[in-house]
Amino acid sequence: MEAEETNGPRIVISLSVLTGISFLTLITRVFCKARCGKPLGWDDHLLSASWACIVIYSGLTSAAVTHGIGHHRAFIAPGSLPVALRHLYAARFFSMIALAVSKSSFALTLLSMTRKPWQRNSLWFIIISLNLVVWICGFSLFFQCSPVRKAWDFTTSGTCWSVASQANVGVAAGAYSAIMDFALTVFPVVLIRDMPMGIWEKIGVLITMSLGIFAGIAGIVKSRLLPTTTRSTDFTFSSADLLIWSATETAVTIMAVSLPYLGLVIKELFPASQTPSEPRNEQKGWRFRITGKKYETLNDDWINGVGSSEDGGPRRGRLVMQDGKATVSYQ
């Protein structure tokens, strides 16, 4: 074992890349919505807040690296270890909050696409239950040791939960978060299936939103690493993978919920790529698109029906929304 051996640079570089890529996709989402005249909603604000938590997490973890995290414990100065662990303790809290906030943003984005009560109720269950589990586990960090300082300064007198109990709290939050990732990945299939979109547009949205499955995988990997890292006698060196995967889960969630909006700009820049059948209401025979919960027709809100009027010309009408239902008023 050489004194120069360290995981510090790998930790800092990995967190910087994850933070940078997630920021680019977040900016892409905001730009695409602005380009298409869509106002920012709560899901956008929550997604920005989750990215801010990742920035704080990365900053605190990088500060811990400067005090020895990534090095073998035997080579860390006794006075530096408490400072490093204190930064990691705070970083862990922000990483857990980032999970809850990013997945709440994902669920809110899907909520705007729902049409049936059971879909809305399911998403609200995900939002409420996930936040309860993660926030409770997050705040429990400050009650695991008495006084809390003992969590990072082993010379302080006091008591702490057992190592197994501390690990189980993190595993519980990570496991439930991973389950919700898989649930949120399946949900777009249910929502988009019956929407008036072209087949290739549907496939594109599903592929980008399915990136959430990788967030779930990251959550599982992180949960498996947590117990072994916590029990390790050389945890300052072996914690590198856990620290990286903790940021990966939230970063991938931000990407999964941001990239589908790129299709809005692509559709605007390349209108020729849209076939006449995109989008179509096959039952009624007229073409329209859905924006949020409002219906907008494609041709100056005139609808050209497939039938004919009494004088032999094409039927024309305006799409009218009443009590949440679309009807046509023919001219």
Side-chain angles (χ1 to χ4, degrees):
M1 182 173 64
E2 300 178 358
E4 292 79 10
E5 186 179 16
T6 176
N7 282 324
R10 181 162 69 93
I11 295 172
V12 174
I13 292 173
S14 298
L15 295 184
S16 298
V17 171
L18 290 169
T19 303
I21 294 177
S22 59
F23 175 73
L24 290 177
T25 56
L26 177 60
I27 289 299
T28 298
R29 172 188 171 108
V30 174
F31 169 78
C32 292
K33 294 190 75 171
R35 172 91 181 185
C36 298
K38 294 179 175 292
L40 298 181
W42 276 105
D43 52 347
D44 301 289
H45 300 314
L46 288 178
L47 202 63
S48 299
S50 68
W51 182 80
C53 287
I54 286 296
V55 172
I56 296 173
Y57 169 80
S58 299
L60 289 170
T61 303
S62 298
V65 169
T66 64
H67 288 89
I69 294 299
H71 292 272
H72 291 285
R73 184 176 180 181
F75 297 107
I76 301 176
S80 296
L81 185 59
V83 178
L85 295 182
R86 183 178 61 194
H87 283 93
L88 282 187
Y89 207 74
R92 186 179 172 188
F93 173 77
F94 282 100
S95 71
M96 296 180 73
I97 301 310
L99 286 180
V101 176
S102 63
K103 287 162 183 47
S104 295
S105 173
F106 199 165
L108 284 177
T109 298
L110 295 177
L111 197 62
S112 65
M113 302 163 58
T114 58
R115 297 182 178 183
K116 300 177 181 178
W118 74 264
Q119 296 172 346
R120 291 188 290 273
N121 293 337
S122 298
L123 287 172
W124 276 116
F125 172 79
I126 291 175
I127 293 172
I128 295 173
S129 63
L130 178 63
N131 276 274
L132 282 175
V133 170
V134 176
W135 281 88
I136 290 175
C137 291
F139 278 106
S140 72
L141 292 174
F142 303 104
F143 300 98
Q144 293 179 4
C145 290
S146 178
V148 67
R149 179 184 177 85
K150 186 171 177 57
W152 59 79
D153 188 354
F154 302 146
T155 63
T156 302
S157 300
T159 58
C160 290
W161 296 358
S162 66
V163 173
S165 297
Q166 294 183 43
N168 288 338
V169 170
V171 170
Y176 193 75
S177 175
I179 293 173
M180 294 301 100
D181 278 321
F182 293 125
L184 292 173
T185 301
V186 173
F187 232 93
V189 179
V190 178
L191 297 177
I192 296 175
R193 181 179 55 191
D194 298 324
M195 292 185 68
M197 301 166 62
I199 182 63
W200 292 111
E201 189 177 355
K202 288 182 179 180
I203 291 175
V205 172
L206 289 175
I207 288 176
T208 50
M209 282 192 162
S210 66
L211 290 175
I213 197 171
F214 294 105
I217 293 173
I220 292 175
V221 173
K222 182 190 68 178
S223 297
R224 289 178 61 87
L225 287 171
L226 185 58
T228 55
T229 302
T230 304
R231 291 192 297 266
S232 174
T233 57
D234 194 20
F235 63 89
T236 57
F237 181 81
S238 61
S239 62
D241 291 335
L242 176 61
L243 296 175
I244 293 170
W245 282 104
S246 294
T248 300
E249 184 175 4
T250 299
V252 172
T253 301
I254 293 175
M255 297 175 202
V257 75
S258 297
L259 288 178
Y261 285 87
L262 186 59
L264 295 175
V265 172
I266 293 177
K267 191 173 181 180
E268 179 183 346
L269 296 177
F270 302 99
S273 64
Q274 302 176 48
T275 61
S277 61
E278 295 183 20
R280 180 180 297 274
N281 182 319
E282 299 293 349
Q283 294 180 341
K284 299 297 183 181
W286 57 75
R287 302 173 63 227
F288 62 93
R289 62 170 174 259
I290 294 179
T291 303
K293 294 184 179 179
K294 297 180 180 180
Y295 290 80
E296 296 179 354
T297 54
L298 296 179
N299 303 313
D300 297 328
D301 79 73
W302 284 103
I303 296 172
N304 294 320
V306 295
S308 298
S309 61
E310 295 181 357
D311 60 2
R315 297 167 63 191
R316 303 184 70 204
R318 288 184 180 277
L319 190 65
V320 179
M321 288 296 297
Q322 185 174 4
D323 298 328
K325 298 181 179 180
T327 58
V328 178
S329 174
Y330 286 105
Q331 303 297 311

